[in-house]
Amino acid sequence: MNVTDIVDTLVSDPLSPNPKGWIEPRWEWFPLSRQVWRGFMATSNDLLILTGQCLLLSLALGGWLFKGRLHWRQWIQAMGFQATDALGMALVLCVCTAMVIALQVAPEMVRQGGESYVGSLMSLAMVRELAPIMTALGVVAVVSTSYASEWVSLTNDQQVDALRAMHVSPERYWLLPWVLSTTLMTPLLTLIGCIAGVWAGMGVSQAVAGVSPSLYWQGLWQQTAGADVGWMLLKGLVFGFEAALLACTIGLHTTANGAQSVGEATTKTVVACFVVVATTDYLLTWMIYGG
Amino acid sequence: MGVKPMTTDTQQQPWASDATGVGPLIQANHLVKAFGNKTILDDVSLTVAEGEIMAIIGVSGCGKSTLLRVISGLETADSGEIMLGDPNVSFVFQYSALFDSLTVFENVAFSLLEPTDSGTLPEVLSKPELHALVADKLKLVGLEGTEDKYPSQLSGGMKKRVSFARAIMGNPKIIFYDEPTAGLDPVASTQVENCMLTLRDTLGAASIVVTHQNSTIHRTADRVSLLHAGKIQWEGTPAQLLTDNDPYAVQFSHAALEGPLSV
Ligand SMILES: Nc1ncnc2c1ncn2[C@@H]1O[C@H](COP(=O)(O)OP(=O)(O)O)[C@@H](O)[C@H]1O
Ligand SMILES: [Mg+2]
């Protein structure tokens, strides 16, 4: 397939008539590719539906929580899973990121006489931005994928039906503990990741550029306000909630018919989580620091 | 495809039993169920009385599981009416459906350990009582001593029997069995069939069993319904299944390739 072929397929009209009845421009006025337009419409459509499904699920879960029907044992188990399995991932990501920043920035800063700014830059980078984002990525990789695939597998071998048949709501039994624990654990993981990252950053700064630790900590504390830490925890809370809710919603709405559906739900979850976490990160940062 | 207004009533209403006291425990009227534009159930009606076992037979994919799921309320019908005469309903699933994070003991005792959604707590039994009860049910299906194992440590047939034990834990009055003996060895299969008969005879349970297995049809069923193309095409006793000259019954009982069941 050469370039002209690709352009041809994009601009030609293989999809007409409009398969889903979506609103379309007058094509004679907009000689735009219909495939691109329909791809855009399909994505917006999916996004809208996913948003609605997420809202409905969070309302349902909120209802169970409000009625005090949380399943304690499942909840504690889920917290344990995150504290052990997701913590390692969050630590690796946060520590490596902080070390890379130190590696890139510290020698340059020292050369330009800004040794005392290494710590404050690290605080800006890690506390405000990278600790929440890197931890969220770790949580998506470990927790969201596990929940999306587990739910579809549970549906596949009728464990969901079996629970329903015994008058125990599977949403209450599995999804509520999952979402609640991820929402509560992610800020904690973020905090731990941030602290570990800042320490590792100090080590690297000292090793590669001879930044004195006391100067590093001084700069770091000057830059870090209590509010920054608060906002960091809030970001962790929001990202954790999103990562778990998306995994559960996508799992819940995937038709469970074998191994393929497990893979499909998992991939969809990772993509959706990355997009949503990245977008809300920008929105939150803009709301907190942008004005 | 007949599209009727939504009249599905899956609430478990007390069934007004007739003067003899032996009213139907399961009654389904004019069930219609479609997935997309594929109509799986097209006006299916059936009645199962107290102390009766009805077998549903039919080729794979004809909608037997769907029929059970609709009648038991796991799936909603597009239209039709369902009346169950007792709230104590249980379901034996086609796949074992055991909770794989729980031990065999916790699985079998699940309904006695976990409060339901409405917050109803199970009747509190002492630990020894609970263990005795679970051991008793496991013995019925020939799996004594497996309490501490996890489902992943059991064979397919063993899992199926544990799931059977779990389903009969609450002495249900209405039971739906989806291929309870498929994949079991002949001895285990007879154990399960005997359990089904015990439940019918001691509790007067009404049950519907989906099965392909001749032994299960002939040892347990009081009546047989043959489902095909969304409708019940033939109904009779297991004995009639062998002798009737209805083309559906003939093809099924002779496992013939030619006949109305072929597509
Ligand atoms: N949730 C579902 N969504 C779409 N199609 C389904 C669903 N469940 C069952 N089917 C279809 O309905 C038909 C009947 O399925 P089923 O009741 O499991 O058959 P049986 O138990 O008789 O083998 C099959 O063709 C199956 O593909
Ligand atoms: Mg089936």
Side-chain angles (χ1 to χ4, degrees), chain B residues 15-161:
Chain B
W15 178 258
S17 57
D18 60 22
T20 62
V22 198
L25 275 179
I26 305 170
Q27 168 129 9
N29 296 328
H30 309 295
L31 296 180
V32 176
K33 176 73 186 174
F35 288 117
N37 53 11
K38 211 166 103 192
T39 306
I40 307 293
L41 304 177
D42 186 6
D43 195 3
V44 174
S45 301
L46 56 83
T47 305
V48 185
E50 201 171 329
E52 189 181 30
I53 298 179
M54 172 189 267
I56 306 272
I57 59 175
V59 294
S60 286
C62 74
K64 305 179 296 296
S65 297
T66 305
L67 178 60
L68 277 199
R69 295 171 59 81
V70 165
I71 296 177
S72 64
L74 283 173
E75 201 106 46
T76 48
D78 298 338
S79 72
E81 203 181 17
I82 297 145
M83 277 165 284
L84 300 180
D86 195 285
N88 195 349
V89 180
S90 192
F91 203 120
V92 177
F93 290 94
Q94 185 166 359
Y95 310 103
S96 74
L98 292 180
F99 304 127
D100 46 23
S101 56
L102 304 181
T103 63
V104 166
F105 172 80
E106 290 166 324
N107 264 286
V108 176
F110 193 88
S111 59
L112 295 180
L113 295 171
E114 293 293 337
T116 62
D117 289 340
S118 50
T120 326
L121 283 163
E123 51 173 324
V124 183
L125 293 178
S126 71
K127 258 209 154 134
E129 277 179 314
L130 199 57
H131 277 274
L133 205 57
V134 169
D136 184 46
K137 300 291 180 199
L138 284 176
K139 195 164 170 226
L140 272 182
V141 294
L143 285 174
E144 52 270 72
T146 54
E147 278 95 336
D148 296 328
K149 291 212 159 79
Y150 279 90
S152 58
Q153 297 169 293
L154 303 177
S155 76
M158 289 162 90
K159 279 192 232 179
K160 205 141 181 185
R161 284 181 283 157

Side-chain angles (χ1 to χ4, degrees), chain A residues 64 69 71 73-74 77 150 154 156-170 172-174, chain B residues 12 69 74 87 89 91 93-100 102 106 110-111 114-120 166:
Chain A
W64 288 121
R69 310 285 311 119
H71 197 288
R73 208 185 47 185
Q74 294 282 90
Q77 245 172 36
E150 184 168 350
L154 288 171
N156 264 330
D157 50 67
Q158 297 191 315
Q159 294 183 48
V160 169
D161 285 336
L163 206 60
R164 251 185 209 127
M166 289 192 271
H167 304 289
V168 177
S169 153
R172 173 172 78 79
Y173 187 80
W174 279 304
Chain B
Q12 289 149 11
R69 295 171 59 81
L74 283 173
V89 180
F91 203 120
F93 290 94
Q94 185 166 359
Y95 310 103
S96 74
L98 292 180
F99 304 127
D100 46 23
L102 304 181
E106 290 166 324
F110 193 88
S111 59
E114 293 293 337
T116 62
D117 289 340
S118 50
T120 326
R166 178 178 70 186

Side-chain angles (χ1 to χ4, degrees), chain A residues 171-209:
Chain A
E171 287 86 353
R172 173 172 78 79
Y173 187 80
W174 279 304
L175 302 189
L176 177 58
W178 290 354
V179 173
L180 191 67
S181 58
T182 318
T183 311
L184 295 179
M185 282 307 280
T186 311
L188 189 64
L189 298 180
T190 308
L191 185 67
I192 298 174
C194 184
I195 294 172
V198 162
W199 271 92
M202 183 205 71
V204 172
S205 309
Q206 194 186 9
V208 301

Side-chain angles (χ1 to χ4, degrees), chain B residues 213-227:
Chain B
Q213 198 159 318
N214 271 319
S215 69
T216 311
I217 298 172
H218 292 283
R219 290 197 61 225
T220 65
D222 300 301
R223 254 181 326 133
V224 181
S225 292
L226 195 152
L227 186 69

Side-chain angles (χ1 to χ4, degrees), chain A residues 31-81:
Chain A
L32 191 86
S33 157
R34 295 184 191 192
Q35 259 172 354
V36 171
W37 175 263
R38 282 174 192 168
F40 170 75
M41 289 301 272
T43 311
S44 330
N45 187 55
D46 289 353
L47 213 64
L48 216 66
I49 290 174
L50 184 62
T51 311
Q53 289 167 340
C54 281
L55 273 174
L56 286 179
L57 181 63
S58 48
L59 281 180
L61 296 185
W64 288 121
L65 191 62
F66 184 71
K67 280 187 261 178
R69 310 285 311 119
L70 171 68
H71 197 288
W72 290 91
R73 208 185 47 185
Q74 294 282 90
W75 181 54
I76 289 168
Q77 245 172 36
M79 298 276 270
F81 160 64

